[in-house]
Amino acid sequence: GQQLNQSPQSMFIQEGEDVSMNCTSSSIFNTWLWYKQDPGEGPVLLIALYKAGELTSNGRLTAQFGITRKDSFLNISASIPSDVGIYFCAGQTSGSRLTFGEGTQLTVNP
Amino acid sequence: DVKVTQSSRYLVKRTGEKVFLECVQDMDHENMFWYRQDPGLGLRLIYFSYDVKMKEKGDIPEGYSVSREKKERFSLILESASTNQTSMYLCASKRGGDADSAFFGQGTRLTVV
């Protein structure tokens, strides 16, 4: 199946720092989604991107849908301890099937 | 808000048992999905369904089957559980079409001993 390369695999940062993570693919996607998963819970949708070039913000989160439709990034500004978790990107082609990246484990030190 | 509910948070089953994982969504979504999540491998699609009684294999369907008799319910079946099926199982649902996002249940942590 299609594959997404998500990086970095893990990040250890200090509270207040900004964070950036990205996903790339050899395939074109129609939709890019970013999810966060807390320990022992299911992923929760953070941001959805539906157009190439789209830049969307949700509070301290900003995500962009790459112009080529093969990549996306997520930025978190001024990180706080509750930002800890696993962040997943997901790409969707027509037909509703989603492909997920391997996840970025974020640790925020107070 | 969309609610996707998985019947169990934690399950412990014996090797060879038949295991049913149930998922129910309350938003009349056409599409439902089962994923398994393992460390370092992200979420891998087992099966999905785009309508009642319709199903398609995902990337790792071996050892699993599914049932969708009603629109709101999507069941994952392990015909004969094995230890390599110990994992976190996640159900998701979404409306049909590209311009909608998938919503996840809380997950079922299955341990096969």
Side-chain angles (χ1 to χ4, degrees):
Chain A
Q2 295 167 312
Q3 287 191 324
L4 291 182
N5 298 309
Q6 185 172 348
S7 65
Q9 287 188 344
S10 61
M11 301 183 76
F12 297 83
I13 62 169
Q14 293 296 126
E15 183 176 359
E17 288 184 9
D18 296 343
V19 171
S20 184
M21 58 192 80
N22 69 83
C23 277
T24 61
S25 173
S26 57
S27 304
I28 288 174
F29 289 102
N30 295 333
T31 303
W32 282 93
L33 305 169
W34 284 93
Y35 289 85
K36 182 194 176 200
Q37 184 180 30
D38 292 324
E41 302 291 332
V44 173
L45 181 68
L46 297 174
I47 290 183
L49 302 158
Y50 301 113
K51 288 185 188 176
E54 181 180 356
L55 183 72
T56 296
S57 293
N58 178 9
R60 293 179 296 105
L61 308 177
T62 302
Q64 184 157 31
F65 191 146
I67 289 288
T68 64
R69 294 166 63 195
K70 294 182 179 181
D71 63 303
S72 177
F73 72 74
L74 174 71
N75 288 340
I76 305 173
S77 62
S79 59
I80 59 178
S82 61
D83 290 335
V84 165
I86 304 176
Y87 291 79
F88 290 100
C89 64
Q92 179 179 285
T93 56
S94 58
S96 293
R97 181 171 171 160
L98 283 173
T99 301
F100 282 84
E102 301 95 340
T104 296
Q105 174 74 61
L106 178 64
T107 302
V108 180
N109 296 315
Chain B
D1 281 350
V2 175
K3 191 159 185 188
V4 181
T5 303
Q6 294 181 229
S7 53
S8 304
R9 292 294 299 266
Y10 301 95
L11 276 179
V12 180
K13 297 292 181 180
R14 294 192 181 279
T15 301
E17 275 194 75
K18 190 169 185 176
V19 181
F20 292 86
L21 303 184
E22 306 285 347
C23 177
V24 176
Q25 50 96 2
D26 65 357
M27 284 302 292
D28 201 37
H29 285 172
E30 291 84 3
N31 300 296
M32 296 188 75
F33 308 81
W34 275 106
Y35 293 87
R36 65 176 281 176
Q37 182 180 15
D38 301 287
L41 297 177
L43 277 68
R44 293 180 292 166
L45 182 64
I46 305 171
Y47 267 97
F48 68 103
S49 168
Y50 49 89
D51 202 350
V52 176
K53 296 190 187 295
M54 307 299 284
K55 60 186 179 184
E56 283 199 24
K57 292 181 180 179
D59 298 319
I60 51 164
E62 296 78 17
Y64 304 94
S65 62
V66 290
S67 171
R68 192 155 180 215
E69 296 297 318
K70 293 184 178 181
K71 193 174 186 179
E72 67 270 18
R73 185 180 297 270
F74 192 34
S75 304
L76 180 69
I77 304 155
L78 287 66
E79 296 289 342
S80 177
S82 63
T83 54
N84 63 12
Q85 292 178 310
T86 291
S87 187
M88 173 73 135
Y89 290 88
L90 291 162
C91 172
S93 77
K94 73 182 289 291
R95 210 175 299 281
D98 294 345
D100 287 284
S101 310
F103 296 88
F104 282 85
Q106 76 276 30
T108 297
R109 170 79 57 189
L110 173 67
T111 302
V112 182
V113 298

